[in-house]
Amino acid sequence: MTKIKDGLKCRLKGITACIALGVMLTTTAQAQDVRIALSGGFDRLDPSVTGNASDLNVLSQIYETLLTLDSKTGELKPKLAESFEATSPTVWTFHLRDGVTFSNGTPLTAEDVKFSIERILDPSLGSTHASQLSSIKEVRAIDRLTVEIETKKPDPVLLRRMQPIGGTGRVYIVSKSHVEGRNPADVASDPIGTGPFKLASWDRGRQLTLVRNETYWGDAPAVDGAVYTSIPENSTRVNALLTGEVDVIQSLPITDVERVKASERAHVVSSPNGLVHVLQLDSRHPPFDDIEVRKAFVHAIDIKGIVEGLLGEYGRVLAVPLSPNALQFDTELAPYTYDPALSKKLLAGKSISLKTFTSDGRYVGDRDIYQIINSQLKQVGFDINAQTLEWGRFVNMMSQKSGGPFYITGWDFGEGDASKMNSILSSGAAFSVTADATYDSLVAQAAQELDEARRTKLWHDIQTYVHDQYLVGAVWQSSALYGFSKNLDWEPRFGENMSLSEFHFVNK
């Protein structure tokens, strides 16, 4: 029988410690803990700053938002806000739940909400979320539990920023008393939220442990905690699942789906609404500031053949960087055609040398997709020098707009709105390498249109412009694929958003 103190050491120190202590991970003492392997590494555990998906995967267990999204209806519903209403075309009022506390015991108040939003908007912080909140004029704490957010102009998607689905642009509520005046690096190492879990330990570069927040205001989750590790290499991550070293793996490779299905230990969990992958082109600088070069690049890539060959039923090619689940998605636009002869003609014998960086294992099939794309580009006159980078370092470079002339990014459109395209293409967005005045002008019009029909028409015009100007190199969507222990299950309601509090044990 496992001793309690050994079980605690095991949970806090991880898999290697468990083996050294002779602790069986399936014993009663450990039955309610989950071991999760992510494909990317952890960077900064500060929800107001980071745009790294692995960070947000963990932070969304610790921090919460004012609102939540109903997966069946797409409706916004109360979370930390007990109710909310528009008091004018430019003012939203939120009434907070009474009795909610942060995991350090301090109560949630309107001042925390005001501080959280103003912190994101502070240019000195360099938040990846700031560009999507630029419509905010002022945040007012009316009383202890009432907050008003006033926008400069009507903003039809502001409320979508107040729920957790969609990656960058979300407003997670932090504790003012815990964060104010502290060094951002210290805040990123010591997260304190109102969520169902809290940080127990973080061994940088290796693993991170969460435990249940026993003072959580909502329903208690089924699991007591989780040990997160970063395993970027696909085969290593899959083997860890199949040998029982971990209970859950993110980014299950397509090539291993049947192997996992046939195993005695694991099963596959999937959702068709996975990340929208965008081959981003840095059109701020040569060579992609020239539309003819962008055209040559785009038509040199057989993205349809690549996706069908590598992803099969778990992938689809799109015409623009927008998910079909978005209300404003234009079904009339067709993906770019594969036409290497046209690419060669456009380049007119020129050879263009490009030094690029690539991820390996962060996205479904990314290494293989990169290799095929680079090979096809070389055939028409692009000389590609590619280097694989660790994801944490790579995402930092991308946030500083120095990720290279082209690279793959993955975007979560779980919120179901076209405005997420701004994270990819707006000049001021943290992860955009596009600076197109016409695009910026068009989205500025859409951003203040409250009539949904007219707003949809504007977004159709924007999608046509993006497509015709070749502002991105290729777009495809892959299913969100996970490997789960047969002792554990979960229904992915929003594709890539993995909610630890929704995990449940099978036959336990």
Side-chain angles (χ1 to χ4, degrees):
M1 180 176 289
T2 304
K3 294 181 180 179
I4 292 176
K5 67 177 183 179
D6 283 350
L8 289 174
K9 288 180 183 178
C10 175
R11 186 163 83 182
L12 294 176
K13 294 187 177 180
I15 296 164
T16 302
C18 293
I19 297 171
L21 290 165
V23 176
M24 295 298 293
L25 294 175
T26 56
T27 61
T28 302
Q30 293 298 310
Q32 302 300 308
D33 292 321
V34 178
R35 300 155 300 162
I36 301 172
L38 302 181
S39 61
F42 306 110
D43 180 23
R44 293 169 290 185
L45 295 186
D46 184 340
S48 304
V49 177
T50 185
N52 180 7
S54 294
D55 290 343
L56 292 173
N57 200 312
V58 170
L59 290 168
S60 61
Q61 323 302 327
I62 299 173
Y63 291 94
E64 294 181 303
T65 50
L66 292 177
L67 307 178
T68 189
L69 194 64
D70 187 301
S71 61
K72 293 183 173 61
T73 66
E75 292 180 288
L76 290 164
K77 293 187 174 181
K79 187 69 173 181
L80 290 179
E82 194 168 47
S83 64
F84 57 99
E85 71 270 356
T87 49
S88 84
T90 58
V91 176
W92 283 95
T93 302
F94 298 86
H95 305 279
L96 305 182
R97 293 182 187 276
D98 198 2
V100 175
T101 63
F102 291 91
S103 61
N104 64 355
T106 59
L108 170 71
T109 71
E111 290 293 341
D112 296 305
V113 176
K114 173 179 165 66
F115 174 79
S116 297
I117 296 172
E118 291 178 343
R119 182 171 183 254
I120 291 172
L121 292 172
D122 183 351
S124 67
L125 187 68
S127 172
T128 59
H129 311 287
S131 65
Q132 294 190 50
L133 300 174
S134 60
S135 68
I136 294 177
K137 177 182 179 182
E138 185 181 5
V139 185
R140 297 183 285 269
I142 305 304
D143 59 37
R144 185 174 67 89
L145 296 175
T146 307
V147 182
E148 283 186 353
I149 301 178
E150 182 178 357
T151 56
K152 301 165 189 173
K153 297 177 181 178
D155 183 351
V157 295
L158 178 69
L159 293 186
R160 297 274 163 176
R161 313 303 180 212
M162 303 300 155
Q163 56 79 41
I165 308 303
T168 55
R170 311 306 102 183
V171 177
Y172 287 96
I173 306 305
V174 303
S175 167
K176 179 180 179 180
S177 63
H178 180 71
V179 173
E180 189 173 34
R182 297 185 69 189
N183 184 302
D186 293 336
V187 173
S189 300
D190 186 21
I192 296 293
T194 61
F197 296 92
K198 60 184 180 180
L199 182 69
S201 65
W202 182 11
D203 184 357
R204 290 178 181 271
R206 296 185 59 195
Q207 65 184 29
L208 180 152
T209 302
L210 299 183
V211 294
R212 183 187 289 175
N213 175 10
E214 298 297 347
T215 64
Y216 181 53
W217 63 272
D219 295 334
V223 301
D224 287 337
V227 177
Y228 289 84
T229 56
S230 172
I231 307 181
E233 209 283 316
N234 285 335
S235 62
T236 304
R237 196 165 62 254
V238 174
N239 286 335
L241 174 70
L242 296 181
T243 59
E245 187 179 356
V246 299
D247 303 303
V248 178
I249 64 169
Q250 175 214 35
S251 299
L252 171 65
I254 295 288
T255 52
D256 289 296
V257 166
E258 295 305 318
R259 182 180 168 208
V260 171
K261 285 182 177 179
S263 74
E264 295 181 357
R265 289 181 180 270
H267 66 113
V268 175
V269 172
S270 68
S271 166
N273 296 314
L275 294 180
V276 171
H277 302 281
V278 182
L279 189 58
Q280 293 195 219
L281 305 179
D282 188 346
S283 56
R284 302 168 304 153
H285 308 296
F288 294 126
D289 57 344
D290 183 344
I291 189 173
E292 297 301 300
V293 176
R294 297 200 297 271
K295 285 182 181 179
F297 181 95
V298 167
H299 290 292
I301 300 170
D302 182 14
I303 194 62
K304 184 174 183 291
I306 293 171
V307 169
E308 288 180 352
L310 293 179
L311 306 185
E313 64 179 294
Y314 295 109
R316 54 186 171 184
V317 178
L318 304 174
V320 289
L322 181 62
S323 174
N325 74 304
L327 177 64
Q328 305 86 3
F329 183 78
D330 189 348
T331 59
E332 299 299 315
L333 292 175
Y336 298 120
T337 58
Y338 176 48
D339 192 344
L342 174 61
S343 296
K344 289 180 180 179
K345 181 179 179 181
L346 289 167
L347 290 180
K350 290 188 296 183
S351 177
I352 297 178
S353 297
L354 299 173
K355 182 179 180 180
T356 68
F357 302 101
T358 68
S359 60
D360 181 4
R362 170 62 189 94
Y363 302 123
V364 176
D366 55 359
R367 177 178 59 183
D368 294 332
I369 290 172
Y370 270 125
Q371 289 177 344
I372 298 172
I373 285 175
N374 291 342
S375 175
Q376 292 177 344
L377 289 169
K378 287 181 180 180
Q379 293 175 20
V380 303
F382 289 95
D383 182 21
I384 310 298
N385 179 7
Q387 177 183 342
T388 301
L389 280 185
E390 184 274 327
W391 178 249
R393 182 183 173 195
F394 194 17
V395 78
N396 262 337
M397 292 173 62
M398 287 188 281
S399 69
Q400 295 166 13
K401 301 181 184 289
S402 60
F406 72 90
Y407 47 84
I408 296 171
T409 55
W411 298 91
D412 183 345
F413 279 86
E415 72 265 58
D417 194 87
S419 58
K420 186 58 174 289
M421 279 179 59
N422 293 337
S423 295
I424 307 166
L425 295 169
S426 286
S427 299
F431 286 92
S432 169
V433 284
T434 302
D436 189 289
T438 300
Y439 176 88
D440 292 341
S441 175
L442 288 170
V443 298
Q445 295 177 50
Q448 53 186 300
E449 179 55 67
L450 296 178
D451 182 87
E452 197 55 55
R454 288 197 293 268
R455 186 167 175 268
T456 296
K457 174 60 170 62
L458 282 170
W459 273 108
H460 280 193
D461 293 343
I462 293 167
Q463 290 170 71
T464 298
Y465 181 78
V466 170
H467 185 270
D468 292 350
Q469 292 297 309
Y470 291 80
L471 293 184
V472 298
V475 187
W476 66 98
Q477 186 174 33
S478 62
S479 295
L481 293 170
Y482 302 88
F484 266 67
S485 161
K486 286 188 175 179
N487 292 327
L488 192 67
D489 206 0
W490 167 63
E491 180 184 353
R493 298 180 297 119
F494 296 105
E496 295 286 335
N497 294 270
M498 190 160 52
S499 178
L500 183 60
S501 62
E502 295 173 359
F503 286 9
H504 61 271
F505 292 96
V506 179
N507 299 323
K508 291 287 183 184

